Amino acid sequence: MIRITLPDGSVREVKRGASFLEVAEGIGPRLAKAAVCVRFNGELHDLREAALVDGDLAVIGPGGPEALQTLRHTASHVMAQAVKRRFPGVQLGIGPAIEEGFYYDLDLPTPLAEEDLAQIAEEMRGIIAADLPIVRREMTKAEARTLFEGRGETYKLELLADIEDDVVSIFEQGEFVDLCRGPHLRSTGGLRPDAVKLLSVAGAYWRGDEARPMLQRIYGTAWERAKDLEQYLWRLEEAAKRDHRKLGKDLDLFSIHEEGGAGLICWHPKGARLRRTIEEFWYAEHDRQGYDIVATPHIGKSQLWATSGHLDFYRENMYSPMDIDGADYYVKPMNCPYQILIYKTRGHSYRELPIRMAELGTVYRYERSGVLHGLLRVRGFTIDDGHIICRPDQVDAEIRGVYEFSVNMLSAFGFRDFDIYLATRPHAGKAVGEPERWEQATAALRAALDAHGLPYKVDDGGGAFYGPKIDIKVRDTLGRAWQCSTIQFDFNLPERFDMTYIGEDGAEHRPYMVHRALLGSLERFIGCLIEHYGGAFPVWLAPVQAVVIPIADRHNAYAADVAQRLRNAGLRAVVDDTSERMNSKIRAAQLDKIPYMLVVGDREAEAGAVALRLRNGEDAGAVPVKAFIDTANSIVRSKSAENWQA
RNA sequence: GCCAGCGUAGCUCAAUCGGAAGAGCAACUGACUUGUAAUCAGUAGGUUGCCAGUUCGAUUCUGGCCGCUGGCUCCA
């Protein structure tokens, strides 16, 4: 007998080797009927698996993330089965459940087009309708090898070879057999045909390795109810409307030109205005935090990049050198070396430290053409790049300070949900410095994170070549996470550049250095901002805050006067004096997502007022110009997301 | 870079089987002077991404290049 502890703390004795389904039946038939899978000792297990040791058991019913994961995993198998039925010669790769759906990587002789998805989906409906029981079997690796050899599944054989346990599990439904850990539904009929949808096909290297064959990946999504699927598809559509590439065009913020080059951004007046607002805020905050603002060149001699190690460790991201008077100059991929040169222009006392230097430094990095993506992934970008040079005893406090600064900065822009990562030492010769120093530095970063109690994940091997880092990512509307803030510990560059300070003891010491970017790059950050707000920026960020709309031409002079008063008060205001009707001007302003529409006609001109319309469509009535300016300015000062307060 | 798809007017999109490139919006001109999401009329706008090839004839078929989209990989 073994002892099973249930979530309520009660303990049941069950026969060793009883399946989890049997255990669930012992607890209650209704529970067993609804069960999808179980969580046993913290891990998900299939209902058909045997309970062999004492442990904590939670029976998972529908409605939660684990149940969805199980259902999607089964959907992935059903899809693979359908593809195998329709297209002969298919070999299975891997097919997991993912955050909002599932995929299966398949090696099939003919390229799939999106049109093929319909007939695969048709076949899937048949498999679901047939309600094939899903059977879980355990066998030795040797048996499994024979099985998959017989079926010509070479990728499965490769996976099998990497499994350490001697016993593996396979799942079968009808003629379909897969090597799989599970858990799965009890039968294919557990899926709702109207809650499953195939979404796209894409190429994917086998095991993510570009030296290996490229398989075809089919993405799909599956939900418990048709309603959930509809809602998900609706969400995708809404997300597409917020796409910063579309909004960038619609709102006339930026452009990218084929004749200029991929991944290179031209900021139009409104986009540049937005950028400037961000920069002005950024400078003001850095002044408050005790940073010194610097500015450094865009290119530098090979000597500099050799000293920094970039030519050794970062070359694949750097552009070819240009010859200037016989010397090789590189366009800078990072700002740090020049900031270090600034530090080194004179001696420093321990009393001066920490020195906090920052600049909005534009860098250029080679990115493979396939990865470029609007503003989020570009080849030229401006990093809000800072470096803190400090004594070893100051580093913990500095890292904590930067971390707080970073979270506060992102919050000011309305970002609240972050994914935080601790990225550790890169593997396989991609890192400089002794392992002990990496350990020490990683511990310092971990301590800063722990001090805040915010949850974080470890990104094993994700550090920069010169040190470990804390990365903060924000999610865009399509659910993709984009890295903004990064805090990087560096014990390499101070060494390479022989940076020193004079300590209390009169001797030279080596300072520590922390690289940090809070917004990440202005390009990416603005891309995230656009999507976050769907182009309807908070008043303080809006490129145009108010448009004055004269009703007839005779109101143009008054409108111009109002706009000028607004601009004198620091607000960004324009007049729409086109020869359109007022309705048309309002529509244009709505499409531009301008926070305030100030309609002026005879009544307003008479009263020295404006008729205020908000971008949410609300008519806020007549407001004296002075009162409008005061309220709008207080909203700007507070950086409030609120559009108006009466 | 690799796999798949796509590229027609400033924007959004049509064009049958390979047979005279079109619409709406935007722009421009004129009229209208309007009270909370599109006033009316007219004008102009094209090397169909670029370069080759097949063909009597190519937006359409083929090849190369450039760019974009979704992924893989990588990163701010």
Side-chain angles (χ1 to χ4, degrees), chain A residues 103 177 208 247 518 547 555 580 582:
Chain A
Y103 67 81
V177 181
L247 287 171
L518 308 185
V547 58
H555 309 119
E580 289 292 339
M582 179 201 64

Side-chain angles (χ1 to χ4, degrees), chain A residues 277-304:
Chain A
T277 305
I278 295 167
E279 289 174 358
E280 282 162 2
F281 173 62
W282 185 92
Y283 281 125
E285 289 299 298
H286 281 72
D287 286 344
R288 286 209 318 172
Q289 295 285 336
Y291 278 80
D292 296 314
I293 301 300
V294 298
T296 64
H298 286 76
I299 60 174
K301 287 203 266 190
S302 55
Q303 167 78 59
L304 182 66

Side-chain angles (χ1 to χ4, degrees), chain A residues 309-572:
Chain A
H310 283 89
L311 289 182
D312 287 335
F313 293 94
Y314 207 71
R315 188 170 222 143
E316 63 202 28
N317 288 293
M318 293 170 69
Y319 292 103
S320 318
M322 62 192 103
D323 181 292
I324 299 177
D325 291 342
D328 277 348
Y329 280 71
Y330 288 86
V331 174
K332 70 174 167 185
M334 290 190 195
N335 300 302
C336 24
Y338 271 120
Q339 292 196 11
I340 292 170
L341 293 186
I342 292 173
Y343 176 85
K344 276 171 60 84
T345 52
R346 62 176 175 84
H348 293 278
S349 154
Y350 70 97
R351 296 168 190 274
E352 290 180 68
L353 304 182
I355 287 175
R356 306 188 187 96
M357 249 190 279
E359 71 180 305
L360 293 172
T362 302
V363 300
Y364 291 86
R365 296 183 187 172
Y366 174 70
E367 297 287 352
R368 306 215 266 183
S369 61
V371 305
L372 300 173
H373 180 87
L375 294 176
L376 298 181
R377 193 68 185 279
V378 295
R379 285 179 171 162
F381 55 102
T382 301
I383 307 180
D384 65 317
D385 207 354
H387 297 86
I388 297 170
I389 297 155
C390 65
R391 304 189 305 260
D393 64 291
Q394 295 170 320
V395 72
D396 284 10
E398 287 304 311
I399 286 176
R400 284 177 65 168
V402 169
Y403 182 66
E404 264 161 48
F405 191 14
S406 169
V407 169
N408 289 340
M409 176 80 84
L410 293 175
S411 301
F413 287 97
F415 291 111
R416 295 287 186 281
D417 297 325
F418 312 119
D419 291 344
I420 302 169
Y421 294 86
L422 175 65
T424 59
R425 184 167 195 256
H427 306 295
K430 294 262 188 171
V432 298
E434 304 86 59
E436 307 82 63
R437 307 199 65 174
W438 278 87
E439 275 310 311
Q440 182 196 351
T442 308
L445 295 176
R446 187 173 277 130
L449 288 171
D450 288 339
H452 270 267
L454 286 173
Y456 61 92
K457 293 173 204 144
V458 173
D459 176 7
D460 185 39
F465 72 81
Y466 45 71
K469 57 182 183 168
I470 294 171
D471 285 337
I472 303 179
K473 301 187 181 191
V474 303
R475 281 180 180 272
D476 73 13
T477 44
L478 294 167
R480 292 172 299 209
W482 290 96
Q483 183 169 326
C484 290
S485 299
T486 183
I487 304 168
Q488 311 181 342
F489 196 104
D490 185 351
F491 39 75
N492 172 55
L493 290 180
E495 199 87 42
R496 283 176 168 264
F497 280 93
D498 192 26
M499 296 165 76
T500 56
Y501 66 92
I502 305 300
E504 217 170 343
D505 56 5
E508 283 194 343
H509 295 270
R510 185 79 71 213
Y512 279 14
M513 185 157 108
V514 175
H515 305 243
R516 40 111 287 175
L518 308 185
L519 308 177
S521 81
L522 288 175
E523 285 73 12
R524 176 174 292 176
F525 187 73
I526 292 172
C528 289
L529 263 186
I530 293 170
E531 303 216 353
H532 188 65
Y533 289 108
F537 302 107
V539 181
W540 76 282
L541 288 169
V544 176
Q545 293 166 323
V547 58
V548 186
I549 298 176
I551 289 176
D553 287 351
R554 66 174 179 282
H555 309 119
N556 283 357
Y558 177 67
D561 181 52
V562 169
Q564 191 56 53
R565 285 180 65 189
L566 263 51
R567 285 195 295 268
N568 290 346
L571 291 165
R572 297 186 287 274

Side-chain angles (χ1 to χ4, degrees), chain A residues 38-332:
Chain A
V38 298
R39 177 171 291 281
F40 186 61
N41 285 336
E43 282 185 19
L44 279 193
H45 287 275
D46 194 86
L47 290 173
R48 287 147 288 214
E49 272 181 69
L52 297 173
V53 295
D54 293 357
D56 296 321
L57 180 77
V59 177
I60 310 276
E66 293 102 336
L68 269 177
Q69 191 187 323
T70 305
L71 173 142
R72 287 169 181 159
H73 201 164
T74 296
S76 144
H77 278 205
V78 170
M79 177 175 75
Q81 182 174 21
V83 176
K84 285 201 118 183
R85 284 187 180 182
R86 293 269 173 152
F87 299 89
V90 175
Q91 283 195 56
L92 302 174
I94 55 166
I98 52 175
E99 208 161 316
E100 297 197 300
F102 60 88
Y103 67 81
Y104 215 113
D105 283 348
L106 303 159
D107 189 353
L108 67 177
T110 51
L112 278 181
E114 309 247 331
E115 298 83 68
D116 297 320
L117 295 182
Q119 55 157 317
I120 295 169
E122 178 60 38
E123 191 67 51
M124 287 175 72
R125 277 192 285 279
I127 295 167
I128 293 168
D131 196 16
L132 303 172
I134 296 173
V135 179
R136 179 180 186 276
R137 287 204 283 145
E138 291 188 356
M139 57 178 68
T140 64
K141 265 169 74 173
E143 288 169 322
R145 202 173 303 122
T146 310
L147 174 69
F148 288 109
E149 258 164 17
R151 299 176 67 91
E153 299 284 5
T154 56
Y155 298 99
K156 291 295 174 190
L157 288 171
E158 192 182 325
L159 292 176
L160 205 50
D162 287 351
I163 295 177
E164 289 181 5
D165 292 347
D166 188 51
V167 176
V168 299
S169 61
I170 62 156
F171 282 82
E172 294 180 8
Q173 57 207 38
E175 81 286 359
F176 181 81
V177 181
D178 200 354
L179 172 71
C180 184
R181 193 180 289 128
H184 279 280
L185 301 181
R186 296 184 221 187
S187 68
T188 59
L191 294 170
R192 294 284 316 250
D194 54 0
V196 179
K197 188 172 170 63
L198 301 185
L199 298 172
S200 61
V201 288
Y205 296 107
W206 169 236
R207 308 192 112 179
D209 182 348
E210 57 192 273
R212 309 243 209 162
M214 179 162 283
L215 309 183
Q216 299 192 61
R217 174 173 297 180
I218 307 176
Y219 281 97
T221 190
W223 301 81
E224 281 169 359
R225 295 164 304 179
K227 209 175 70 189
D228 299 336
L229 172 64
E230 269 167 47
Q231 208 169 53
Y232 172 70
L233 294 176
W234 180 82
R235 231 171 58 222
L236 283 188
E237 266 174 54
E238 286 305 300
K241 287 185 199 160
R242 289 168 162 253
D243 190 315
H244 74 279
R245 293 163 300 182
K246 176 178 162 48
L247 287 171
K249 198 180 277 182
D250 291 351
L251 301 178
D252 198 14
L253 300 174
F254 67 91
S255 56
I256 304 171
H257 302 266
E258 188 174 337
E259 53 272 64
L264 302 171
I265 309 299
C266 291
W267 291 100
H268 296 200
K270 286 179 191 161
R273 176 64 251 189
L274 174 59
R275 188 176 155 131
R276 218 176 99 201
T277 305
I278 295 167
E279 289 174 358
E280 282 162 2
F281 173 62
W282 185 92
Y283 281 125
E285 289 299 298
H286 281 72
D287 286 344
R288 286 209 318 172
Q289 295 285 336
Y291 278 80
D292 296 314
I293 301 300
V294 298
T296 64
H298 286 76
I299 60 174
K301 287 203 266 190
S302 55
Q303 167 78 59
L304 182 66
W305 308 108
T307 303
S308 67
H310 283 89
L311 289 182
D312 287 335
F313 293 94
Y314 207 71
R315 188 170 222 143
E316 63 202 28
N317 288 293
M318 293 170 69
Y319 292 103
S320 318
M322 62 192 103
D323 181 292
I324 299 177
D325 291 342
D328 277 348
Y329 280 71
Y330 288 86
V331 174
K332 70 174 167 185

